[in-house]
């Protein structure tokens, strides 16, 4: 029967590992899966070596769930290898699909990151200020670490991707649905995002009642009305600029959407789109009368990149911080 | 060779593009660095247009609409005002000098102002040097 | 485009206007190399017949499905070329204009390659846009045949009569109890000195008798919704407490009314009762009980007028009625007010009784006025022997008052001086003026006549001070002609107060979504070519609300506005620019953020909870399109993709 089983692989690149756990979140369904599928590579769960993978013929693996973005040379090397060995490569989870939270590191240069992590954090004891280097020699033995790349990229920015399953992590029902489609041979068109076609608002029962908002507030500053749209209450909720498919679980429990499902179909830069929409609906007093105050609110927003590009910075228009010499004034 | 800035100008059809036309009718000379995109309203200008213009290699972006109170569509220019304020903030975070993005109110009667704005903006960006994605 | 794009580029030389600084041949040559451009040529005048024929021929021979005309501003010839493209069998939106004249050749005449390379970018952008344009057909809609006229002064009266004469129903709304406006207050009119009421009242009567005019006096427009061709208007008809059909004008009510208040028709120079008729020829000819002046209606404190009325016309239970009407066109004729004397600190800020404004003086001169047509000063009723007229009071003074010329004051001051001299032949009349502006038919002759024959002393100069000294008014000014200070002790001073827009203008402009210019006058669609139209269409201006005007100009503009309204109402259907917003129903989630962004209320959520656009209301600004966080809205023929591709064409290489 082994021959008829689908060969499945999973890999964890630059991410927290939650997506691997999410695969296990299929619970007993994973037993059903294993009746029809065979795991051929999954470093987090089973003992495979890269050499095993290298030994497979091309296209040997039916499907690979790749989670995490591309941060190191190792991530990139394995992404390329898995691409070669897999018939179908799935960017699994927000990090692989859009770059994810690790992608926010793109607001700092590689050097800044290393310096911060190895010399500046309060818990670091590194009096000599040593920074790891790619190649080092100890007792005559050359040691190599995978190189840290300048920027985090989404999987698609490194290799060709067949499907995207977004989410931080992807909800089990979505994974299950995808596996069902895979086993039935009913996968959608290449390049599809396996989630909803609209935005989180479509699945959210809250209602936008106003015409505009007059302030931006943080969730703890508001006694949240459970029926009214969070944005309408001045709370930044990424729902309107985030693809549906999650079931709107976060807003349902008074937690604003952070955008983990990435942009909806027609949007290519989720953060910019939401910044733009927020600016559009913010209005202090009569339209046109509160311009200065509106500008102050918008330009005083705390951490706009962290808030609006939480999961999508690497796949945004700018991709991260850019170098432009001078500053204003 | 001296750096010649490449500028994109989003002009609303009713005021600023008409103002630019008037500069023409008055034969008011100004630098040719800014290439105009006429949109119906400054409120039509999406933040992503601005970021994409920079990504495509623009060194500076001008958004120009009707004066407050004069928008042909009553309030599109106020949206433009806020979007530009927001994008400026984002640009700053992204490490791009926010003065590469400029918002101006130019009415249909302000041909001279339009020309002066382009003149001034071109000079300013020439000083600042190439934009974040101008790798020519 | 359906089939593969085949774009033709037509570069106009515009004589030397474009070709003088742009290498037009090179543009055509380079254009042919652009993707999807299958034909390009340059020609001396594309707008000429042979030029237009080149487009028609090329569409036919080359099978073009997109046309870019690189020429002057689209405001000049976009219509022309779209018509040509339509004549050649393509949809008119298959044509785009690349503005390489106003925005390129004319402003970069320094020569060199830069204007040419900028022009090429503009052409590339237009090519990118046109090949993504979709064919569109105008949105057709029915319209109401009625016309609303706001304001019953002479221009509103003229507009109402003209529209009604053409066979359309008219609703004429006037906030005062009578129509007639300021013209009804005037004594004689310059330069012919016809009696104002004599020429106006027949027109007022004509209005009241016209079968197609519904006259609503003592009424105000409260709410306007809808759009050109289909406005829904709510009009408040305030209670007059007198049934106009029953009232026989006997005046018994007025006689017994115990309340006397200042009479606004006489500019406060006389008093009237709480129940009153503004003037004897008022239309409608009926009494009005001024509820603010009345001793009290609720609870009822006095029933004198009702008791005295044999006709039983007084009804204390009347209340405001709100009437809803649908109209297709609106004429706005809200008129003017005088800049308050109180604003004139230099002339006593309204504290001197014998300093009057032009309208007060008109009432003094009027045979039906408070003094029966005799000039008598307000303080003691004496005939003034020295009268000083001060022109440009509040006008042409950007630092302190209004920057503009009020246009009619030179003429009416001359008339005032003349009428005063006729009334008091031995009196002295002095006119202080900055310039005399008498541009109008037989106006200059009139001024000459007043200056020469009436022995009115015209002093070129400004009055710097006006103060009360020993019971008379000391006027200190300068006579620039002799360069000396002049002091005149006057018995009466007449200020030619600046003309300002009526206090209704601001509210009406909000209700109708009109623009006001810097001085609060209505802003026309074009100051020269479309002076009676509003920018949004459907609303037309008549009279001094648009700019200070005299009677002939107000009447002319009233007729002009009427003609425009009739033009609109005569069309079987109205067509709307189809470049409006479109909603992707597969993507919209009904988040609702767009709704409040539309200034026209064109968006709403439908029963499926997704946004829906009213194509008639949508003006196509695209603000909502940019404000949609899921890009589910798009603006037809100005999509995000089109704009982004144009940008790439500009800075892409």
């Amino acid at each position: 029967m082994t021959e008829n089983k689908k060969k499945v692989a999973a890999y964890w690149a630059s991410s927290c590992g939650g997506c691997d756990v999410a695969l296990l979140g299929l619970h007993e369904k994973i037993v059903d899966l294993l009746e029809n599928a065979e795991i051929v590579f999954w470093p987090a769960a089973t003992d495979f070596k890269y050499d095993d993978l290298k030994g497979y013929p091309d296209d040997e693996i039916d499907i690979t769930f790749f989670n995490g973005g591309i941060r190191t040379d190792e991530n990139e090397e394995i992404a390329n290898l898995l691409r070669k060995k897999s018939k179908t490569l799935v960017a699994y989870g927000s990090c692989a699909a859009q770059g994810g939270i690790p992608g926010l590191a793109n607001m700092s240069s590689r050097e800044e990151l290393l310096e911060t992590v190895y010399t500046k954090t309060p818990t670091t004891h590194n009096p000599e200020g040593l920074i790891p280097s790619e190649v080092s020699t100890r007792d005559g033995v050359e040691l190599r670490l995978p190189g840290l790349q300048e920027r985090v990229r989404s999987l698609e920015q490194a290799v060709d991707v067949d499907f995207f399953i977004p989410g931080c992590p992807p909800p089990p029902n979505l994974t299950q649905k995808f596996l069902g489609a895979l086993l039935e041979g009913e996968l959608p068109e290449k390049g599809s995002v396996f989630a909803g076609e609209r935005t989180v608002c479509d699945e959210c029962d809250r209602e936008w009642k106003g015409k505009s908002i007059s302030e931006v507030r943080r969730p703890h500053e508001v006694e949240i009305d459970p029926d009214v749209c969070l944005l309408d209450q001045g709370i930044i909720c990424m729902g309107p600029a985030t693809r549906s498919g999650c079931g709107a679980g976060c807003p349902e429990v008074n937690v604003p959407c952070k955008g983990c499902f990435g942009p909806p179909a027609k949007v290519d830069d989720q953060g910019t789109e939401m910044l733009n929409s927020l600016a559009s609906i913010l209005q202090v007093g009569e339209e046109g009368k509160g311009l200065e105050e509106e500008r102050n609110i918008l330009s005083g927003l705390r951490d706009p990149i962290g808030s609006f590009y939480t999961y999508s910075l690497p796949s945004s228009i700018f991709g991260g911080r850019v170098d432009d010499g001078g500053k204003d004034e | 060779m001296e750096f010649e800035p490449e500028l994109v100008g989003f002009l609303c059809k009713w005021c600023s593009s008409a103002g630019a036309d008037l500069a023409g009718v008055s034969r008011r000379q100004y630098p040719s660095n800014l290439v105009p995109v006429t949109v119906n309203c400054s409120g039509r200008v999406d933040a992503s247009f601005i970021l994409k213009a920079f990504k495509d290699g623009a060194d500076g972006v001008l958004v120009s609409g009707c004066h407050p109170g004069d928008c042909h569509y009553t309030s599109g220019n106020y949206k433009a005002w806020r979007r530009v304020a927001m994008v400026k903030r984002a640009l700053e975070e992204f490490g791009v000098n926010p003065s590469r993005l400029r918002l101006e109110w130019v009415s249909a009667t302000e041909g001279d102002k339009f020309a002066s704005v382009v003149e001034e903006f071109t000079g300013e960006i020439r000083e600042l040097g190439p934009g974040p994605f101008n790798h020519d | 485009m359906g089939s593969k794009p085949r774009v033709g580029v037509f570069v106009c030389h515009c004589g030397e206007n474009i070709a003088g600084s742009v290498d037009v041949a090179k543009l055509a040559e380079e254009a042919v190399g652009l993707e999807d451009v299958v034909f390009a040529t340059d020609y001396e005048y594309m707008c000429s017949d042979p030029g237009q024929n080149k487009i028609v021929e090329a569409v036919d021979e080359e099978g073009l499905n997109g046309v870019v005309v690189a020429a002057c501003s689209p405001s000049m010839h976009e219509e022309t070329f779209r018509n040509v493209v339509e004549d050649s069998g393509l949809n008119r939106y298959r044509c785009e204009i690349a503005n390489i004249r106003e925005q390129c050749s004319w402003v970069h005449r320094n020569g060199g390659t830069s204007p040419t390379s900028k022009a090429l970018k503009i052409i590339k952008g237009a090519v990118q846009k046109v090949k993504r344009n979709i064919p569109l057909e105008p949105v057709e809609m029915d319209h109401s045949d009625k016309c609303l006229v706001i304001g019953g002064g002479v221009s509103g009266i003229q507009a109402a009569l003209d529209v009604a004469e053409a066979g359309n129903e008219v609703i004429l709304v006037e906030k005062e109890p009578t129509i007639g406006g300021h013209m009804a207050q005037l004594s004689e009119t310059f330069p012919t000195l016809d009696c104002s009421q004599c020429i106006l009242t027949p027109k007022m009567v004509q209005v009241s008798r016209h079968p197609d005019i519904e006259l609503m006096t003592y009424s105000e427009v409260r709410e306007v919704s809808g759009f050109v061709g289909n406005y829904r208007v709510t009009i408040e008809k305030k209670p007059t407490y007198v049934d106009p059909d029953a009232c026989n004008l006997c005046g018994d009510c007025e006689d017994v009314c115990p309340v006397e208040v200042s009479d606004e028709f006489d500019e406060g120079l006389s008093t009237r009762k709480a129940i009153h008729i503004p003037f004897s020829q008022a239309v409608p000819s009926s009494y009005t009980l001024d509820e603010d002046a009345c001793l009290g209606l609720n609870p009822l404190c006095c029933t004198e007028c009702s008791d005295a009325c044999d006709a039983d016309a007084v009804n204390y239970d009347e209340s405001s009625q709100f009437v809803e009407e649908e109209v297709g066109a609106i004429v706005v004729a809200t008129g003017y007010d005088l800049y308050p004397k109180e604003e004139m600190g230099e002339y006593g800020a309204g504290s001197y009784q014998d300093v009057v404004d032009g309208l007060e003086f008109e009432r003094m001169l009027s045979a039906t006025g408070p003094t029966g047509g005799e000039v008598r000063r307000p303080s003691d009723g004496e005939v003034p022997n020295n009268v000083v007229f001060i022109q440009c009071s509040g006008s042409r003074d950007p630092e302190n008052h209004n920057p503009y010329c009020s246009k009619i004051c030179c003429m009416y001051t001359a008339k005032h001086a003349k009428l005063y001299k006729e009334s008091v032949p031995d009196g002295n009349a002095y006119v202080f003026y900055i310039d005399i502006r008498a541009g109008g038919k037989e106006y200059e002759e009139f001024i000459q006549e007043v200056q020469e024959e009436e022995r009115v002393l015209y002093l070129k100069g400004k009055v710097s001070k006006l103060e009360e000294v020993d019971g008379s008014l000391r006027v200190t000014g300068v006579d620039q002609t002799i360069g000396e200070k002049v002091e005149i002790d006057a018995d009466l001073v007449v200020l030619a107060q600046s003309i300002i827009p009526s206090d209704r203008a601001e509210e009406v402009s909000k209700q109708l979504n009109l623009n006001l210019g810097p001085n609060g006058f209505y802003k026309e669609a074009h100051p020269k070519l479309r002076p009676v139209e509003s920018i949004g269409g459907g609303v037309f201006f008549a009279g001094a609300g648009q700019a200070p005007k005299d009677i002939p100009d107000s009447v002319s503009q009233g007729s002009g506005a009427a003609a425009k309204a009739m033009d609109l109402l005569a069309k079987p259907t109205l067509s709307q620019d189809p470049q409006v917003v479109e909603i992707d129903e597969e993507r919209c989630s009904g988040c609702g953020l767009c709704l409040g962004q539309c200034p026209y209320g064109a968006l709403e959520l439908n029963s499926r909870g997704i946004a829906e656009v009213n194509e008639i209301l949508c003006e196509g600004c695209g603000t909502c399109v940019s404000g949609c966080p899921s890009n589910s809205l798009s603006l037809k023929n100005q999509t995000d993709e089109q704009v982004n591709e144009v940008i790439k064409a500009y800075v892409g290489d």
Side-chain angles (χ1 to χ4, degrees):
Chain A
M1 288 304 285
T2 314
E3 311 80 67
N4 294 335
K5 284 190 174 182
K6 296 279 183 191
K7 292 193 169 73
V8 178
Y11 186 70
W12 164 0
S14 179
S15 61
C16 66
C19 290
D20 264 355
V21 179
L23 278 175
L24 295 172
L26 290 171
H27 298 298
E28 70 279 3
K29 302 280 188 215
I30 207 161
V31 179
D32 300 343
L33 171 71
L34 289 176
E35 275 181 20
N36 300 303
E38 175 193 355
I39 293 167
V40 295
F41 179 72
W42 187 359
T46 56
D47 186 16
F48 286 102
K49 301 288 184 242
Y50 288 160
D51 280 346
D52 297 325
L53 185 60
K54 284 177 190 158
Y56 292 149
D58 289 358
D59 287 342
E60 169 76 0
I61 306 169
D62 287 296
I63 190 150
T64 295
F65 292 94
F66 191 104
N67 79 72
I70 307 300
R71 162 91 271 183
T72 66
D73 292 344
E74 181 191 16
N75 297 155
E76 185 166 14
E77 184 185 337
I78 303 304
N80 276 308
L81 193 58
L82 280 167
R83 172 68 278 179
K84 222 163 97 184
K85 304 296 177 189
S86 312
K87 288 197 188 84
T88 301
L89 178 64
V90 179
Y92 188 71
S94 305
C95 297
Q98 298 109 238
I101 291 178
L104 286 173
N106 286 359
M107 292 306 286
S108 307
S109 71
R110 182 179 173 279
E111 284 61 41
E112 284 166 346
L113 287 175
L114 288 171
E115 207 178 288
T116 303
V117 170
Y118 289 99
T119 68
K120 287 187 178 162
T121 57
T123 52
T124 302
H125 180 71
N126 181 4
E128 292 159 78
L130 293 176
I131 303 267
S133 60
E134 260 176 63
V135 186
S136 57
T137 312
R138 182 136 198 178
D139 303 332
V141 183
E142 192 184 83
L143 297 171
R144 283 186 168 270
L145 282 173
L148 189 71
Q149 299 187 342
E150 191 58 41
R151 277 199 166 188
V152 177
R153 286 174 291 165
S154 69
L155 182 60
E156 192 191 18
Q157 288 171 321
V159 299
D160 187 37
V161 173
D162 297 305
F163 297 106
F164 302 84
I165 304 181
C168 182
N173 62 338
L174 217 56
T175 309
Q176 202 186 312
K177 222 170 105 191
F178 183 82
L179 288 170
L182 169 76
L183 296 175
E184 298 296 321
E186 286 170 357
L187 285 175
E189 174 188 6
K190 181 180 151 90
S192 297
V193 178
F194 208 80
E197 291 298 312
R198 299 182 196 259
T199 72
V200 174
C201 304
D202 187 47
E203 298 171 333
C204 176
D205 290 333
R206 290 170 179 274
E207 206 186 326
W208 167 262
K209 294 186 165 154
K211 286 189 77 165
S212 56
I213 61 172
S214 57
E215 55 182 340
V216 174
R217 304 186 290 177
R218 305 176 75 192
H220 68 270
E221 299 169 337
V222 189
E223 197 173 319
I224 295 173
D225 182 328
D227 299 322
V228 177
C229 168
L230 292 168
L231 254 181
D232 205 356
Q233 301 181 59
I235 299 165
I236 293 172
C237 174
M238 290 289 288
T242 302
R243 187 184 280 270
S244 59
C246 60
C250 297
E252 203 166 278
V253 294
N254 289 351
V255 174
C257 171
K258 298 292 283 172
C260 73
F261 263 52
K266 286 188 167 178
V267 172
D268 40 26
D269 186 326
Q270 187 184 17
T272 306
E273 207 57 52
M274 199 58 214
L275 284 175
N276 185 74
S277 290
L278 181 73
S280 307
I281 58 169
L282 182 81
Q283 183 185 319
V284 178
E286 197 185 323
E287 179 71 301
K289 298 283 189 279
L291 295 180
E292 286 301 333
E293 202 176 327
E294 288 154 11
R295 178 165 65 183
N296 291 341
I297 293 173
L298 294 170
S299 53
L301 280 183
R302 291 177 63 161
D303 190 20
I305 307 301
S307 309
F308 292 85
Y309 298 82
T310 318
Y311 289 95
S312 65
L313 185 61
S315 51
S316 68
I317 296 170
F318 276 15
R321 205 178 72 192
V322 292
D323 192 21
D324 178 38
K327 282 262 170 229
D328 214 7
E329 269 103 38
Chain B
M1 207 174 77
E2 198 192 0
F3 162 63
E4 277 302 335
E6 283 195 83
L7 310 175
V8 173
F10 295 98
L11 314 184
C12 83
K13 169 176 163 181
W14 302 94
C15 289
S16 298
S17 191
D21 279 356
L22 181 62
V25 173
S26 328
R27 308 298 196 273
R28 170 71 159 80
Q29 303 298 300
Y30 57 85
S32 61
N33 301 62
L34 183 133
V35 192
V37 189
T38 299
V39 287
N40 284 1
C41 178
S42 55
R44 176 71 188 94
V45 180
D46 197 311
S48 69
F49 294 170
I50 301 169
L51 294 194
K52 280 184 182 166
F54 281 119
K55 184 67 187 279
D56 290 340
D59 303 306
V61 175
L62 171 73
V63 177
S64 186
C66 309
H67 283 267
D70 290 347
C71 175
H72 178 72
Y73 304 102
T74 73
S75 54
N77 53 353
Y78 301 134
K79 270 91 178 170
W81 160 274
R82 295 194 291 264
R83 289 176 190 152
V84 167
M86 189 74 258
V87 176
K88 275 178 170 280
R89 175 73 208 281
L91 286 178
E92 203 168 1
E93 293 278 324
F94 280 126
V96 177
N97 190 326
S99 30
R100 288 190 185 278
L101 170 61
R102 183 166 177 147
L103 177 74
E104 288 286 348
W105 308 131
V106 174
S107 80
T109 58
E110 293 175 323
D112 194 58
K113 178 174 180 189
F114 179 79
S116 307
V117 163
V118 176
E119 230 160 43
E120 207 181 286
F121 193 38
T122 306
E124 243 178 75
I125 301 298
R126 185 174 279 127
E127 285 292 302
L128 281 180
F133 293 93
N134 180 353
H135 306 305
D136 291 350
Chain C
M1 257 193 177
S3 51
K4 196 176 159 21
R6 294 180 63 81
V7 178
V9 176
F10 301 84
V11 183
C12 182
H13 298 194
C14 196
E16 282 295 293
N17 282 303
I18 293 171
S21 47
V22 165
D23 185 344
V24 283
K26 186 171 173 221
L27 287 181
E29 203 175 291
E30 297 256 354
V32 164
L34 299 174
E35 197 190 341
D36 297 324
V37 174
V38 295
F39 177 82
T41 187
D42 58 283
Y43 185 69
E44 202 154 13
Y45 288 103
M46 282 311 304
C47 61
S48 66
D49 273 353
Q52 296 187 18
N53 285 337
K54 281 189 179 292
I55 298 175
V56 179
E57 280 162 23
V59 169
D60 183 42
E61 284 163 19
E62 307 288 335
L64 302 181
N65 54 17
V67 168
V68 168
V69 185
C72 52
S73 163
S75 66
M76 295 293 296
H77 278 309
E78 187 175 72
E79 278 299 301
T80 313
F81 291 117
R82 286 196 164 158
N83 290 341
V84 171
V85 164
E86 204 164 53
D87 288 347
S88 65
L90 293 176
N91 183 275
R92 61 193 291 105
Y93 296 97
R94 298 290 197 192
C95 171
E96 283 292 331
I97 306 295
N99 180 351
I100 61 166
R101 190 179 77 172
E102 282 82 348
Q103 299 186 1
C104 189
S105 70
W106 272 351
V107 289
H108 313 306
R109 289 176 142 181
N110 44 348
T113 55
S114 68
T116 306
S117 68
K118 177 174 165 182
L120 184 62
K121 286 178 183 178
I122 296 173
I123 291 171
K124 280 183 184 170
V127 169
Q128 290 297 335
K129 180 163 190 292
V130 81
K131 67 189 197 189
R132 290 172 175 82
N133 275 1
I134 53 167
L136 296 171
E137 297 301 334
V139 181
E140 298 281 340
M141 59 172 172
D142 292 332
H143 62 81
S144 155
D145 293 333
K146 278 193 196 173
C147 178
L148 170 71
V149 178
I150 307 175
V154 67
S155 63
I157 288 174
Q158 187 64 45
L161 286 171
D162 286 356
V163 174
E165 278 301 298
N168 291 102
E169 279 181 63
V170 175
I171 302 157
L172 175 58
V173 175
E174 165 59 51
K175 67 175 177 181
E176 300 296 335
T178 175
I179 53 170
H182 285 308
M183 186 176 167
Q185 293 177 285
L186 307 182
S187 56
E188 272 87 36
T189 56
F190 60 79
T192 47
L193 301 183
D194 312 75
C195 143
S196 187
Q197 288 196 355
C198 311
I199 55 175
L200 179 64
T201 47
K203 274 189 178 289
M204 291 163 59
V205 173
Q206 222 182 322
V207 166
S208 70
R209 296 205 176 139
H210 203 291
D212 286 331
I213 298 179
E214 188 186 340
L215 179 58
M216 296 180 73
T217 48
Y218 216 38
S219 301
E220 287 188 65
V221 172
R222 289 295 174 218
E223 214 181 306
V224 181
S225 60
F227 40 87
V228 49
N230 292 284
Y231 297 100
R232 178 173 284 274
V233 185
T234 309
I235 303 160
E236 180 187 2
K237 193 158 176 35
K238 292 173 285 185
T240 60
Y241 304 99
V242 177
D243 177 357
D245 297 327
C247 175
N248 56 22
L249 294 178
C250 68
D252 291 348
C253 55
E254 192 175 6
D255 292 342
V256 297
C257 178
V259 186
E260 268 192 53
V261 292
S262 155
D263 185 347
E264 52 283 86
F265 186 76
D266 274 342
E267 294 291 323
L269 294 173
S270 69
T271 58
R272 64 159 169 86
K273 297 294 183 64
I275 193 159
H276 69 291
I277 182 162
F279 57 102
S280 45
Q281 302 98 318
V283 168
S285 56
S286 173
Y287 274 79
T288 297
L289 174 56
D290 172 357
E291 62 177 16
D292 295 329
C294 181
L295 290 177
L297 287 160
N298 190 22
L300 199 58
C301 298
C302 161
T303 57
E304 295 276 349
C305 54
S306 171
D307 297 344
C309 183
D310 288 339
D312 260 346
V314 180
N315 172 12
Y316 297 127
D317 296 327
E318 249 189 50
S319 58
S320 275
Q321 285 178 305
F322 290 86
V323 182
E324 278 212 357
E325 289 282 358
E326 287 201 6
V327 299
I330 300 177
V331 174
V332 173
T334 52
Y336 72 95
D337 282 328
L338 287 188
Y339 188 57
K341 281 188 297 188
E342 288 68 27
E343 299 289 333
M344 306 307 298
E346 61 272 50
Y347 302 151
S351 64
Y352 306 140
Q353 255 191 306
D354 293 331
V355 177
V356 299
D357 66 27
L359 278 176
E360 288 170 319
F361 198 63
E362 290 286 347
R363 291 313 298 150
M364 284 185 199
L365 293 170
S366 170
T368 61
T371 55
E374 286 181 44
V375 180
R376 291 184 177 277
R377 59 187 213 168
S379 59
D380 53 10
E382 291 296 316
V383 174
N385 286 316
N386 293 300
V387 180
V388 171
F389 296 90
I390 303 176
Q391 293 195 176
C392 298
S393 180
S395 300
R396 301 182 66 190
D397 187 351
E399 280 80 34
N400 305 306
H401 303 290
N402 299 307
Y404 52 88
C405 166
S406 293
K407 196 170 176 186
I408 64 173
C409 326
C410 290
M411 289 306 295
Y412 80 61
T413 299
K415 176 193 77 179
H416 284 169
K418 181 179 170 70
L419 294 176
Y420 165 70
K421 287 289 288 183
E422 280 173 7
S423 173
V424 188
D426 298 336
N428 301 310
Y430 307 89
V431 177
F432 281 93
Y433 71 101
I434 306 178
D435 299 291
I436 295 296
R437 294 179 170 177
K441 192 173 182 182
E442 289 163 31
Y443 285 12
E444 178 61 22
E445 297 92 313
F446 181 76
I447 296 271
Q448 292 292 337
E449 183 193 320
V450 171
Q451 286 182 337
E452 288 161 17
E453 290 174 23
E454 305 293 340
R455 298 182 319 284
V456 174
L457 188 56
Y458 267 77
L459 298 158
K460 186 176 172 67
K462 278 191 143 182
V463 172
S464 56
K465 205 158 75 180
L466 184 56
E467 57 193 331
E468 221 162 25
V469 179
D470 302 332
S472 66
L473 294 157
R474 174 146 316 152
V475 181
T476 313
V478 188
D479 182 350
Q480 287 179 8
T481 325
I482 52 171
E484 272 178 28
K485 194 170 112 175
V486 185
E487 259 183 25
I488 299 164
D489 284 335
D491 306 314
L492 182 71
V493 174
V494 182
L495 302 177
Q497 285 300 102
S498 188
I499 301 289
I500 57 171
S502 143
D503 58 0
R504 287 282 290 139
E506 199 168 329
E507 198 187 333
V508 169
S509 71
K510 284 199 179 116
Q511 288 170 337
L512 293 171
N513 210 0
L514 306 172
N515 293 334
L516 295 179
N519 300 310
F521 293 100
Y522 298 116
K523 200 167 180 183
E524 56 291 270
H526 190 283
K528 296 176 187 67
L529 304 176
R530 298 172 67 195
V532 304
E533 295 163 71
S534 65
I535 293 170
V539 177
F540 309 101
F541 303 121
Q546 182 245 355
K549 274 186 196 67
D550 57 20
I551 295 168
D553 281 359
S554 295
V555 172
S556 304
Q557 204 188 16
S559 285
K564 283 287 167 191
M566 276 141 46
D567 172 43
L568 189 156
L569 299 176
K571 290 191 171 91
T573 57
L574 300 180
S575 61
Q576 158 103 339
D577 189 334
Q579 300 182 94
V580 293
V581 169
E582 186 174 34
I583 292 172
D584 182 344
E585 299 189 357
E586 304 299 315
R587 299 281 180 254
C588 174
S589 301
C591 70
L593 302 195
C594 58
L595 308 184
Q597 293 183 46
C598 176
Y600 307 102
L603 291 160
E604 55 181 23
L605 296 185
N606 65 16
S607 54
R608 285 172 296 152
I610 61 177
E612 202 167 87
V613 65
N614 179 333
E615 293 199 340
I616 299 292
L617 290 182
C618 177
E619 293 267 329
C621 64
T623 298
C624 62
V625 174
S626 297
C628 169
S630 60
N631 287 355
S632 302
L633 309 187
S634 63
L635 182 59
K636 287 177 189 171
N637 287 347
Q638 201 176 98
T639 61
D640 283 11
E641 187 199 356
Q642 286 179 306
V643 177
N644 286 324
E645 289 301 325
V646 171
I647 301 170
K648 270 190 203 148
Y650 287 179
V651 291
D653 31 60

